[in-house]
Amino acid sequence: MTSVVDRDKFVFVDEHTYDLAHATATFTIVPEHYADRLTCHGTERFHQISDGANRRVEAELKVRWPVVGGLVERAIVSGFKEHLAEEAQLMTAWLTGA
């Protein structure tokens, strides 16, 4: 992927709108570069569970890049999953004072 995409230009702005009454959020990921090649938007739903909360994320990601589009999509999804897992760990540590 790095032979096609400049990692220094692969930067995103995450625009979230939260609806606290419905425990949901909508988001759009806006690339600072490559805006004509990538779109991503989705929703988050938050559910209270016995020992905390659960967050369900649904998103649509589309990369328009000949030949490597699917590879780039898989790399981005993998990175998002890692980011969400790290974010959950940080929030748990912060909330529990660990």
Side-chain angles (χ1 to χ4, degrees):
M1 180 173 101
T2 57
S3 62
V4 177
V5 177
D6 182 345
R7 285 184 160 272
D8 292 336
K9 292 183 178 181
F10 212 52
V11 179
F12 304 90
V13 175
D14 179 351
E15 297 177 348
H16 262 75
T17 302
Y18 291 91
D19 180 345
L20 299 179
H22 293 99
T24 62
T26 57
F27 64 88
T28 302
I29 305 296
V30 181
E32 289 187 0
H33 302 278
Y34 309 116
D36 61 329
R37 302 209 179 247
L38 184 139
T39 56
C40 181
H41 62 275
T43 59
E44 290 181 279
R45 289 179 176 69
F46 304 90
H47 304 279
Q48 185 174 352
I49 56 177
S50 61
D51 61 344
N54 182 304
R55 172 174 64 176
R56 178 177 177 88
V57 179
E58 296 179 13
E60 182 176 321
L61 169 68
K62 183 64 182 163
V63 175
R64 291 174 297 285
W65 215 302
V67 182
V68 298
L71 177 65
V72 174
E73 286 174 1
R74 287 188 293 279
I76 291 171
V77 168
S78 176
F80 281 162
K81 286 180 179 179
E82 289 175 16
H83 173 76
L84 290 172
E86 291 170 359
E87 188 178 79
Q89 289 175 347
L90 288 171
M91 285 301 294
T92 298
W94 180 70
L95 291 169
T96 60

